[in-house]
Amino acid sequence: MSTSTRQHRDPGIDFLRAIAVCAVVLYHYTARFSDEYLRIGGAAYRATYGYLGVNLFFIVSGYCIALTLLRSNDVVTFWSRRFGRLQPAYFICAILTFLAVRWFGLPDRELTDLEAISNLAWANLVGIVPHLDGAYWSIVVEVKFYILLGLLFWLSNKRMDLVHSFWRMLCLTGFGLMAAFAVCSRTQSLAHLAPIPRTLAIEVFLYPYAVYFLGGLAIYRWGETATPSRLADTAIILAGLVMTSEGWVAKAICAAFFPLALFFARTRSVRIPSPVLFIGLISYPLYLLHQNVGIIIIRELGTYIEAASLRIALAALTAAALASILTLWVEPRVRPLAEAVFLQMCGRVSRPARGRAGGPRAANVDPPRD
């Protein structure tokens, strides 16, 4: 990626991504697995709520995808850009993860060759095979988000106000289904029906993650929506947070993500250190690589290094180094090819679409999370 491209990235968005990915990495390295599994005597600090960083990623995705839609002339162009963003890093990171697990071994996290190949073809998207890495579950949610939002963009004839309204209704439907699940679960005669609304809410309507995407959409359109619309979005988001099974501390943290994202997505006066922005830049491949590869490093270094904090730091640095190589040298060369392949698969001529609605504000608002 060129220096000029990095200079024109949105620092607020990269800051949010950096927070999210650091929280998730710390959670997986200190709190997700037992000390016995990691072969450490005990971490000095446990990032118990670090897994909530994924929800912040979803908010950023909602914000960024709104702009990507406005830059796309049609849904195929939109999907090609998403495919070009996701597939190269996903493909390479999945292979590296599989080879690392195959070479060193990782109890309860090993897949067969067929399962690994199926992951490369996104068979894990529909639950046919387990995820090659447990962290990939959120990437699957992202892909479903792209599919649904692309369809809404097409059905609404490229009108973002209608897309926004449709997404509100999708969130409300998910909320209603989860309410039906709660009622059925507490009614003996209806208990056998409880899994149906819950499955529909989670798998079809992406609940409760849809409310975080709604938050991102609302933040992007904040300046062009009236106060009643903002209040409606806020009410839907808060209802979604209350409906989750998380404790009140986790709900409070998630609620704080929205004003945090609103501030940094729309403020340009805050100076953010370059190292933090760089973490945001490499956040997508870092997220893909950090879990299984990092755990292997922490476990294997136990023979040579006793200090848990040092092993955790080396695991994070190794994952960051690999992510940097992918971001700076691999993705810029492979991404245009991936987009062209997708367009050709759809029987279209591969050419960039002209921007709509004034074009992007910054280079990094096209790819979400990534």
Side-chain angles (χ1 to χ4, degrees):
M1 182 174 293
S2 65
T3 302
S4 61
T5 300
R6 278 178 280 170
Q7 288 175 342
H8 289 88
R9 291 177 64 86
D10 188 321
I13 294 298
D14 274 335
F15 176 71
L16 294 172
R17 287 179 175 148
I19 292 177
V21 76
C22 287
V24 174
V25 170
L26 285 174
Y27 169 72
H28 284 144
Y29 289 175
T30 66
R32 168 66 176 82
F33 302 96
S34 67
D35 294 343
E36 292 76 15
Y37 192 84
L38 296 175
R39 297 175 181 171
I40 60 177
Y45 168 76
R46 299 189 186 276
T48 307
Y49 296 102
Y51 67 95
L52 298 174
V54 173
N55 296 336
L56 181 56
F57 268 137
F58 290 153
I59 296 174
V60 173
S61 287
Y63 176 89
C64 296
I65 287 304
L67 182 58
T68 309
L69 285 170
L70 291 174
R71 295 178 60 205
S72 304
N73 285 340
D74 51 53
V75 66
V76 174
T77 302
F78 166 71
W79 282 335
S80 71
R81 287 176 173 168
R82 294 299 86 218
F83 179 82
R85 170 55 175 160
L86 290 183
Q87 186 62 26
Y90 177 82
F91 191 88
I92 296 171
C93 292
I95 292 176
L96 290 175
T97 298
F98 174 72
L99 292 176
V101 173
R102 173 59 60 90
W103 182 266
F104 293 99
L106 199 58
D108 301 324
R109 310 185 77 79
E110 299 175 354
L111 268 63
T112 65
D113 294 346
L114 179 59
E115 289 173 329
I117 293 173
S118 298
N119 267 252
L120 297 180
W122 292 98
N124 53 324
L125 180 66
V126 292
I128 297 176
V129 294
H131 299 304
L132 199 151
D133 186 305
Y136 290 3
W137 73 267
S138 65
I139 307 300
V140 168
V141 174
E142 292 269 3
V143 172
K144 292 179 179 179
F145 172 56
Y146 301 155
I147 293 172
L148 281 174
L149 209 62
L151 290 173
L152 292 178
F153 184 60
W154 173 66
L155 291 172
S156 64
N157 196 26
K158 310 175 191 176
R159 288 184 53 184
M160 279 304 300
D161 57 333
L162 290 180
V163 171
H164 194 167
S165 297
F166 282 144
W167 200 262
R168 290 190 189 106
M169 289 188 287
L170 183 143
C171 290
L172 289 173
T173 303
F175 179 86
L177 287 169
M178 290 303 293
F181 163 72
V183 171
C184 291
S185 299
R186 290 167 173 77
T187 306
Q188 185 174 2
S189 60
L190 299 176
H192 64 287
L193 298 176
I196 298 176
R198 183 177 184 274
T199 300
L200 286 173
I202 295 173
E203 299 298 334
V204 178
F205 294 92
L206 305 184
Y207 209 78
Y209 310 114
V211 299
Y212 296 99
F213 294 123
L214 174 64
L217 288 172
I219 290 170
Y220 178 79
R221 304 191 69 246
W222 193 261
E224 57 190 274
T225 53
T227 300
S229 295
R230 296 176 184 175
L231 292 175
D233 289 331
T234 302
I236 293 171
I237 290 168
L238 291 177
L241 294 179
V242 171
M243 181 62 71
T244 64
S245 59
E246 300 284 358
W248 286 106
V249 174
K251 291 176 181 177
I253 293 173
C254 290
F257 284 157
F258 295 97
L260 180 72
L262 177 64
F263 176 79
F264 281 99
R266 303 186 63 85
T267 302
R268 299 292 177 268
S269 59
V270 179
R271 297 183 63 85
I272 301 171
S274 297
V276 176
L277 296 179
F278 186 75
I279 294 174
L281 172 68
I282 65 172
S283 58
Y284 176 49
L286 176 57
Y287 181 87
L288 292 173
L289 280 169
H290 81 276
Q291 183 169 262
N292 283 3
V293 172
I295 292 171
I296 289 172
I297 293 172
I298 293 171
R299 285 166 55 92
E300 296 300 319
L301 285 179
T303 306
Y304 312 98
I305 301 174
E306 183 177 355
S309 57
L310 180 56
R311 280 191 273 160
I312 290 172
L314 289 173
L317 288 172
T318 301
L322 292 172
S324 300
I325 293 172
L326 285 173
T327 300
L328 299 177
W329 289 289
V330 178
E331 281 191 341
R333 294 167 174 80
V334 179
R335 182 175 179 178
L337 176 61
E339 291 184 13
V341 167
F342 184 91
L343 287 173
Q344 290 176 355
M345 289 170 58
C346 296
R348 297 175 56 88
V349 178
S350 176
R351 63 176 183 272
R354 294 182 181 180
R356 300 176 67 247
R361 294 190 334 181
N364 68 326
V365 292
D366 179 26
R369 161 151 68 305
D370 315 83

